[in-house]
Amino acid sequence: EAALQAGCKRFDGAIKGWGGCPMATDKLTGNMPTEMMIGHLQHTGVELGLNDDAFRASVQLADSLFAAH
């Protein structure tokens, strides 16, 4: 929220929070879930120009890919 209020227009996230640097230690794991960022930005009125159906399909695919983890 602070970055958004300061004028930041570009954010990086990872669907379901998965991903990141393979060289990071376990202490550094965890990414901002893209779906949480989208929800917050939409709630604050930011127009994203996002294809909601395609994004939901991507989240469902990630659910099936990472179901075992």
Side-chain angles (χ1 to χ4, degrees), residues 6-50:
C8 186
K9 302 287 184 202
R10 185 174 182 163
F11 297 88
D12 289 329
I15 293 176
K16 308 299 281 183
W18 286 95
C21 178
M23 296 158 287
T25 65
D26 287 341
K27 294 177 187 175
L28 298 176
T29 59
N31 293 296
M32 176 62 72
T34 305
E35 55 276 21
M36 289 180 65
M37 291 192 313
I38 289 171
H40 178 74
L41 292 169
Q42 288 175 333
H43 178 75
T44 59
V46 175
E47 178 55 47
L48 301 175
L50 181 70

Side-chain angles (χ1 to χ4, degrees), residues 44-64:
T44 59
V46 175
E47 178 55 47
L48 301 175
L50 181 70
N51 180 327
D52 291 325
D53 293 333
F55 185 73
R56 275 192 292 277
S58 297
V59 172
Q60 288 176 343
L61 178 60
D63 281 337
S64 68

